[in-house]
Amino acid sequence: MSELNSVVHEDFGPNFRVLKRNDQTCELQTIIRDRNTSRNDFKFYADRLIRLVIEESLNQLPYSPCTVVTPIGFPYDGLQFEKGNCGVSIVRSGEAMEQGLRDCCRSMRIGKILIDSDHDTHEAKVVYGTGNTVVKAVSVLKDHSVLEENIVLANLFCTPPATQTIVTAFPQMKILTSEIHPVAPNHFGQKYFGTD
């Protein structure tokens, strides 16, 4: 029904989408990546970018037709979210996106998955609810009977190798990001939460 503000990135299949690049998104990415950006500015501009990603991610969710009655008594044919939508945050950096989701969907439930890496083997393991491994987090969801095609991964940044790993492991999952770039801003969580 509505025009999407994202485009399919053909290198990674039909379910991988990137926000349409424009001057605004480029400026936001630039500010977030600038080492001279203050924490207050970093958080402000990161939240703006998060909001854009969340808004576009909502277009990936299932909707169903509905009719409501306007205040002046006329019917209006529209859409509503289908039942059962929820957000799952991969703890630490993923938590930065929670407020943006709450701002857009007041009633959406948000859960958390904590992933940690073994310091010797670097293998991801579930701890209980922070994380750095999307593949492990999605596996946890699938282990709890969430269908892969019902998962929408919304994130701010993807590197080509990480993207290839994820789309190979979960080809039916929808992914929306603001940018695909060979250098990930690994400082994001520390700067956003003020622990840098």
Side-chain angles (χ1 to χ4, degrees):
M1 180 177 232
S2 66
E3 183 178 325
L4 296 177
N5 193 30
S6 58
V7 294
V8 171
H9 196 291
E10 294 297 334
D11 294 346
F12 300 109
N15 290 327
F16 183 82
R17 302 185 72 83
V18 180
L19 283 182
K20 288 181 181 173
R21 188 167 173 88
N22 57 39
D23 291 346
Q24 177 182 205
T25 59
C26 185
E27 179 191 32
L28 295 173
Q29 292 284 0
T30 302
I31 293 168
I32 289 169
R33 290 174 182 274
D34 184 348
R35 70 171 144 193
N36 296 316
T37 300
S38 70
R39 179 176 179 270
N40 285 340
D41 283 348
F42 181 92
K43 190 171 181 323
F44 176 81
Y45 291 106
D47 285 341
R48 284 189 56 207
L49 187 59
I50 287 167
R51 181 70 180 250
L52 293 171
V53 170
I54 293 294
E55 292 280 3
E56 184 60 20
S57 295
L58 296 175
N59 281 323
Q60 313 304 312
L61 295 175
Y63 289 85
S64 59
C66 71
T67 301
V68 297
V69 178
T70 67
I72 56 174
F74 289 96
Y76 177 82
D77 295 328
L79 295 173
Q80 63 186 5
F81 284 128
E82 289 185 5
K83 303 274 189 252
N85 294 330
C86 71
V88 178
S89 171
I90 302 174
V91 177
R92 184 87 193 279
S93 292
E95 290 176 304
M97 299 183 82
E98 289 179 14
Q99 188 60 49
L101 182 58
R102 282 189 189 98
D103 289 345
C104 295
C105 303
R106 291 185 301 178
S107 63
M108 190 172 290
R109 295 164 293 158
I110 299 176
K112 297 179 187 282
I113 295 177
L114 175 61
I115 309 288
D116 197 11
S117 295
D118 183 282
H119 293 292
D120 296 327
T121 66
H122 302 290
E123 182 178 325
K125 59 182 179 177
V126 177
V127 176
Y128 72 90
T130 203
N132 63 358
T133 306
V134 170
V135 170
K136 186 67 174 179
V138 173
S139 295
V140 169
L141 294 175
K142 289 181 69 172
D143 289 347
H144 287 83
S145 303
V146 177
L147 299 175
E148 183 178 317
E149 58 269 19
N150 291 344
I151 300 171
V152 178
L153 171 66
N155 71 5
L156 294 184
F157 318 102
C158 285
T159 63
T163 302
Q164 191 60 58
T165 298
I166 295 165
V167 299
T168 299
F170 307 110
Q172 300 304 310
M173 180 174 68
K174 296 177 191 82
I175 302 170
L176 180 80
T177 189
S178 71
E179 181 181 56
I180 186 160
H181 192 277
V183 179
N186 293 327
H187 66 288
F188 183 87
Q190 289 80 15
K191 191 140 187 181
Y192 188 90
F193 293 109
T195 58
D196 55 344

